[in-house]
Amino acid sequence: MELTLYSALALSAPFNTLVRHWQDAHPETQLTFRWHPSTIIEKELNAGEQADVVIATVETLDRLIESGLAAKDDRIEVVDSPIGIAVLAGTPHPDISTRERLIDTLLAARSVSWSEAGASGVWFSHVLKQLNIDAELRARGTVIPAGFTAEQLVNGNADLAVQQLSELLMVSGVEIVGALPPETQQPVSISASVLNKTTHSEPAREFLAWLKTPQVTDIFSQFGLVRRD
């Protein structure tokens, strides 16, 4: 049997490991993922795409439940995903330890990459306005429609990449500088539920229960993801 899951990109790195654990314990149920930013997941589900489980930002799942696409009673909270910065491997790690030093670092960069399709990019755009550097950063920024912003480090388009830490870790050849400082940080909160039109409701619920097990929590934590209860 195949279980189809729409999932936010933030979980793609840990699931490189987790899928093997699931398949070892549940050989009868094959997992098929559709990895997208939550904004695109919501758009596709609203357009009539079918799947069994959705894993997306809290706000996205709220709307999917309100519209009747996702099951309220099956909802679980999964993780909080901090936003951070990466650089090309082997290059100096700038100081982003405080709000003021983050501003200096961003302004010193030739170009900063972010994606406004994802929750991290939406927040970062808000932060730039708060810091009063939006116009300057946007004028020479590398803003991508979707995908992994750290790829722009590897191809030479940017000096800094901003995204959820777990997404930055998906790109080889880059290094994590760290999470945004507390006064500019807003972890992306991720929830999951069964989609109401699934024909595999019991295996879908079994998968959601598995997401709360210690084994899964431990692997999530290795990618900077913090369990939500």
Side-chain angles (χ1 to χ4, degrees):
M1 191 204 73
E2 181 182 42
L3 202 63
T4 302
L5 306 96
Y6 264 113
S7 181
L9 285 167
L11 300 189
S12 56
F15 264 101
N16 282 337
T17 300
L18 285 170
V19 165
R20 296 195 298 272
H21 291 295
W22 169 268
Q23 299 299 173
D24 287 345
H26 306 84
E28 74 287 352
T29 305
Q30 179 74 34
L31 301 180
T32 298
F33 283 91
R34 299 176 184 170
W35 299 107
H36 295 291
S38 291
T39 52
I40 294 177
I41 291 173
E42 183 176 8
K43 180 179 179 180
E44 293 196 0
L45 289 174
N46 281 322
E49 291 292 330
Q50 301 297 307
D52 302 301
V53 171
V54 59
I55 309 171
T57 64
V58 165
E59 298 79 8
T60 296
L61 195 56
D62 286 344
R63 292 189 292 270
L64 291 173
I65 289 172
E66 186 177 356
S67 65
L69 291 172
K72 179 180 179 180
D73 291 345
D74 290 317
R75 177 178 186 155
I76 65 166
E77 304 308 314
V78 185
V79 292
D80 286 327
S81 179
I83 300 168
I85 289 179
V87 295
L88 190 66
T91 60
H93 287 209
D95 190 346
I96 60 169
S97 59
T98 66
R99 180 181 184 275
E100 291 71 24
R101 288 173 180 172
L102 174 65
I103 292 172
D104 291 342
T105 290
L106 294 173
L107 289 175
R110 173 176 54 91
S111 182
V112 179
S113 175
W114 71 94
S115 170
E116 291 187 330
S120 59
V122 172
W123 172 251
F124 184 64
S125 295
H126 172 70
V127 167
L128 293 181
K129 292 182 174 67
Q130 282 189 328
L131 301 179
N132 295 315
I133 58 173
D134 178 67
E136 187 168 353
L137 264 289
R138 193 171 293 277
R140 50 192 170 87
T142 304
V143 185
I144 63 173
F148 297 114
T149 63
E151 290 176 349
Q152 303 305 312
L153 303 174
V154 178
N155 64 26
N157 288 335
D159 298 332
L160 303 175
V162 179
Q163 206 161 33
Q164 295 171 61
L165 293 175
S166 60
E167 294 175 314
L168 295 172
L169 287 166
M170 282 297 295
V171 179
S172 60
V174 307
E175 295 172 353
I176 301 298
V177 176
L180 295 179
E183 56 267 47
T184 63
Q185 178 67 253
Q186 180 171 285
V188 177
S189 298
I190 296 176
S191 303
S193 189
V194 177
L195 289 164
N196 279 325
K197 290 187 178 180
T198 180
T199 57
H200 304 302
S201 56
E202 286 309 312
R205 292 187 185 104
E206 184 177 5
F207 173 80
L208 293 183
W210 177 76
L211 286 182
K212 303 297 286 187
T213 61
Q215 178 190 51
V216 175
T217 297
D218 178 63
I219 292 175
F220 278 157
S221 69
Q222 295 173 27
F223 291 86
L225 301 167
V226 181
R227 175 181 168 132
R228 285 174 58 82
D229 292 314

